[in-house]
Amino acid sequence: MFYFGRRSKKNLATCDERLQKVFSEVIKHVDCSVIEGRRGEERQNKLYEEGKTKVYYPNGRHNA
């Protein structure tokens, strides 16, 4: 059986409850990691400036 590591658990905890439930089931069948959860304003805008996302805060999906 697969399990989330410390970083994945920390990132998943910042996600919407529905995503947490889905990934709690997914990890039982597929080895995966949660690379990033919710992004704050500073992080979102930094990624925009670096060209790694196309929207400023709060318009990204990671900001909700």
Side-chain angles (χ1 to χ4, degrees), residues 1-43:
M1 187 163 122
F2 304 110
Y3 60 92
F4 285 123
R6 183 174 27 104
R7 186 175 86 177
S8 288
K9 286 180 185 178
K10 179 181 172 190
N11 291 336
L12 187 58
T14 69
C15 294
D16 184 277
E17 268 186 43
R18 294 169 293 182
L19 281 175
Q20 291 180 33
K21 288 179 183 179
V22 167
F23 275 95
S24 293
E25 290 301 314
V26 168
I27 197 64
K28 293 177 183 177
H29 307 282
V30 179
D31 189 15
C32 61
S33 297
V34 180
I35 304 300
E36 190 164 20
R38 185 185 183 287
R39 288 184 192 150
E41 182 174 1
E42 185 178 321
R43 173 110 172 105

Side-chain angles (χ1 to χ4, degrees), residues 2 20 50 57 59:
F2 304 110
Q20 291 180 33
E50 294 173 354
Y57 181 88
N59 300 317

